[in-house]
Amino acid sequence: MRHEASTTVDRGRYEDAVTPWEEESWRTAAFGWAEDELAAGGLRVDGTWQVRVRPWSVLVRIPVAVGGPLWFKANPPASAFEGPLTAALARLVPRHVLRPLAVDAERGWSLLPDGGALFRDVLVRDEAGPGAWEDLLRQYASMQVALVPHARDLELLGVPSARTAALPALFDTLLAENTALSPEQRTRLGALRPRLVEWCEELASLGVPDTLDHADLHDGQLFHPEPGRFTFFDWGDAAVSHPFCSLLVPAQWAAERHGAAVVPRLRDAYLEPWTGHGRTAAELRSAVRPAWRLGALGRARAWGRLFPTATDTAAVAGHAAESLLQLFAEPPL
């Protein structure tokens, strides 16, 4: 392989994960595809390929002779929609996302530009505070609003559907398929189902339409290259669902860094683009509580989007069980 000798591989905590990266033929094809796409754009590799292998993706940093690095990403079959979704978002909401240089939808491969500084790194340098979280949530919600008319088109690209009315059925499937729950936990979750149905009905009655839910919007999933500017990426856990379910993850991460007192501020900033249309601020705030709980379903479902041979089923089921049990957590609002 052309760059076999000039790669570094980071496996993190997943030394035993078996992914397509282990197959020489796959590596040859992936590197060849990336180099061909670079050449088509007049770009040339210049330096060491840095590979990050995880059970849910293979990510390669590719240094090029001119400009910043580029990124090759390989998704497992269950999230192969990410490349086509990213390309669609670049057409529909270009200010908010990366524009891929190339996408191979059949193989789940994407070639992406660098987005600048990660929001996480900006936070570590103490160059952003709670106000930055408010700004990013306003921008993210504005993007969700813009995507409402395109929700069905996104589903046709393969983005999983988890619409508000279908969340009880998703809950049933996740509960039935999970092998890590204890009998007591399974009984408790089963008894929660009527409440879950009520939460869905409460959300539906407000009339906020389903749209794209990132489902894992933490500080490592967006770029913050300059004040006031955010770029959202890493859509492998996404679904078409109730938009307010998105608030769970960023609010939890922000609260961990800045304290629980920031959560109401983040909620109100997120809700600003959803105001109007006959809905009061009080009604919108009330809807966040059930959506916060239901966001746990998206996290539980996402644990099924790994390479089929990447990890043992017990570990996957355990992580999904932890997410399901978050349905019992009282929202801090």
Side-chain angles (χ1 to χ4, degrees):
M1 190 173 64
R2 280 171 281 188
H3 284 275
E4 184 77 36
S6 59
T7 61
T8 62
V9 180
D10 165 23
R11 297 181 179 275
R13 296 174 297 162
Y14 304 95
E15 289 289 342
D16 298 328
V18 180
T19 72
W21 175 257
E22 320 309 322
E23 304 170 15
E24 182 177 355
S25 60
W26 186 92
R27 296 196 304 271
T28 299
F31 275 113
W33 179 80
E35 286 194 319
D36 290 345
E37 295 296 339
L38 290 173
L43 299 169
R44 178 176 57 84
V45 177
D46 182 25
T48 300
W49 301 58
Q50 296 176 336
V51 182
R52 194 192 75 163
V53 177
R54 298 292 187 267
W56 51 85
S57 69
V58 175
L59 188 66
V60 184
R61 183 183 185 275
I62 307 173
V64 293
V66 179
L70 301 178
W71 299 85
F72 165 85
K73 184 173 185 178
N75 289 84
S79 63
F81 63 83
E82 184 177 0
L85 171 60
T86 303
L89 294 178
R91 295 191 302 270
L92 297 170
V93 286
R95 293 191 307 111
H96 300 291
V97 298
L98 298 173
R99 180 180 297 277
L101 283 73
V103 169
D104 187 322
E106 184 175 347
R107 292 188 285 191
W109 294 351
S110 303
L111 190 63
L112 300 159
D114 189 70
L118 274 178
F119 185 45
R120 174 173 296 169
D121 296 335
V122 174
L123 291 171
V124 168
R125 296 194 298 265
D126 290 326
E127 296 174 358
W133 289 90
E134 295 175 46
D135 290 341
L136 76 87
L137 285 169
R138 288 189 193 95
Q139 292 183 31
Y140 173 73
S142 296
M143 179 181 64
Q144 288 184 299
V145 171
L147 291 171
V148 165
H150 307 285
R152 179 56 184 156
D153 295 331
L154 300 184
E155 288 174 326
L156 292 174
L157 292 175
V159 179
S161 179
R163 290 181 178 263
T164 306
L167 289 178
L170 174 60
F171 169 79
D172 292 341
T173 299
L174 293 170
L175 184 60
E177 293 180 350
N178 192 283
T179 58
L181 293 165
S182 70
E184 179 186 1
Q185 291 169 335
R186 190 175 300 279
T187 299
R188 288 182 66 214
L189 283 165
L192 186 67
R193 191 184 193 281
R195 290 279 309 283
L196 187 144
V197 171
E198 291 176 356
W199 297 334
C200 294
E201 292 174 346
E202 180 180 347
L203 288 179
S205 68
L206 186 61
V208 172
D210 294 323
T211 185
L212 188 65
D213 170 17
H214 185 286
D216 193 25
L217 189 63
H218 59 69
D219 55 13
Q221 307 280 45
L222 64 151
F223 298 109
H224 187 35
E226 59 188 44
R229 181 183 168 200
F230 296 92
T231 303
F232 306 98
F233 73 100
D234 205 343
W235 296 94
D237 291 345
V240 172
S241 191
H242 197 283
F244 294 5
C245 293
S246 292
L247 188 58
L248 170 66
V249 172
Q252 286 180 326
W253 282 73
E256 184 175 333
R257 176 172 288 273
H258 303 291
V262 305
V263 175
R265 292 171 51 187
L266 302 187
R267 174 202 59 197
D268 291 347
Y270 172 77
L271 291 176
E272 285 181 21
W274 296 102
T275 56
H277 308 286
R279 307 178 191 106
T280 67
E283 287 173 330
L284 290 170
R285 292 192 190 103
S286 177
V288 167
R289 291 180 59 81
W292 179 287
R293 291 183 183 269
L294 293 168
L297 296 179
R299 300 303 310 130
R301 187 186 202 185
W303 280 107
R305 301 179 195 176
L306 308 180
F307 289 112
T309 57
T311 189
D312 61 86
T313 55
V316 173
H319 289 304
E322 291 174 4
S323 296
L324 284 174
L325 293 171
Q326 288 185 13
L327 287 164
F328 293 109
E330 186 70 23
L333 294 163

